[in-house]
Amino acid sequence: MLRTKFLAPLLAASAMALTVATPAHAGKSDRARTAIAAAEAKVETARSMGVGAELPTATAQAQEALANAREDLKAGRKSQAIDGAIHAQALADAAIGEMQKRKEQEAAEAQQQSATQAAQAQNQAAQAQTQAAAAGDRAAAAERQAAASAAEATAARTAAQTAPTQVETTVTTQSPARTHRTTRTRVTRKVAKPAAPAPQVTTTTTTVKTP
C-alpha cells in the first residue's frame, strides 16, 4: 500500500516525460527541452512526497541541476542542457527512492510497535484475569470457613439445649433445743415430766448443675 502510494506520483512523472518525447530526428534543442521537462516532473514529484523536508540537501541539488540545465538551454549549450537535465532527474530519483525507503521503514517500525503494544496489553489482561481468579478463590475459601464456623456454633447450641440436667439435692435437718418446764404446787412437789420431743424442722437446699 505504501509503495503504491509513492510510486503513483513517480509513474505520473514518467508519463509526463513520455508525452513530451520527440521523434528520433528531432534536434538537440527539442531533446534538451524534453529532458528538462522530465527533470521538472521528477523534482515536482519529490517535492509532493515531502522530500524537501526530509532530504533538503538532495532536493536542493536536484533543483540546482535543473536550473543549470535551463540556463544551458537558454545559452545555446544544448548538450550541457541535456546532461544537466538527466543529472537532475537522477538526483530526484535518488531522493524519491530514499524517501520511499524511510517511509517504509517508519511504517514497519510503527507496525512492530503496535504489535508489541498489543502483546503487552494481552499479557496485562491475562495477569488481571489470573489475579481476579485468585481473589475469587480466596473469597470462596473465606465463605466456606464462615459457613463451617456457623455450623459449629449451631451444633454447640443444639447440644447445649438437648443435654440432660443434673439435679443435686442436699437435705439439712435441724432440731430445736429441748425445753424444760418445772411446776410447783403448795401441796406436793412433783417432778416435771419430760417434754415431748419438739418436731423436727427440715430445710431442703436444691443445687442444679448443668454439664
Side-chain angles (χ1 to χ4, degrees):
M1 181 66 181
L2 184 61
R3 183 181 297 274
T4 303
K5 178 181 178 181
F6 286 110
L7 285 179
L10 184 59
L11 293 175
S14 300
M16 183 180 294
L18 291 174
T19 58
V20 297
T22 57
H25 62 274
K28 284 187 176 181
S29 296
D30 293 334
R31 286 190 291 161
R33 292 188 184 93
T34 301
I36 290 173
E40 288 175 346
K42 293 290 183 68
V43 172
E44 181 61 28
T45 299
R47 185 183 295 110
S48 65
M49 293 173 59
V51 175
E54 295 289 335
L55 302 169
T57 301
T59 303
Q61 291 175 350
Q63 291 175 343
E64 182 181 3
L66 178 58
N68 291 335
R70 290 170 179 164
E71 291 296 328
D72 289 336
L73 181 60
K74 288 181 181 179
R77 297 185 292 270
K78 302 179 180 79
S79 297
Q80 290 86 339
I82 293 172
D83 293 340
I86 293 174
H87 182 56
Q89 291 183 52
L91 291 174
D93 285 337
I96 291 171
E98 179 63 23
M99 185 69 176
Q100 180 179 350
K101 180 180 178 181
R102 290 189 179 186
K103 293 297 183 181
E104 290 177 350
Q105 183 176 1
E106 290 176 358
E109 291 176 353
Q111 185 176 4
Q112 179 63 32
Q113 183 178 4
S114 178
T116 301
Q117 292 176 350
Q120 292 177 351
Q122 290 178 353
N123 292 335
Q124 292 176 355
Q127 292 177 358
Q129 290 178 353
T130 301
Q131 293 175 355
D137 293 340
R138 290 193 296 269
E143 290 179 357
R144 291 193 296 269
Q145 182 63 33
S149 299
E152 291 178 357
T154 301
R157 287 195 300 269
T158 302
Q161 293 174 357
T162 58
T165 302
Q166 294 182 358
V167 178
E168 180 179 350
T169 302
T170 302
V171 178
T172 303
T173 301
Q174 297 179 353
S175 299
R178 293 183 177 181
T179 303
H180 297 275
R181 187 173 54 187
T182 305
T183 302
R184 295 182 179 181
T185 63
R186 293 179 180 180
V187 180
T188 58
R189 182 180 181 183
K190 296 182 180 179
V191 179
K193 296 182 180 178
Q200 295 182 349
V201 179
T202 302
T203 300
T204 304
T205 301
T206 302
T207 304
V208 178
K209 293 185 178 180
T210 301

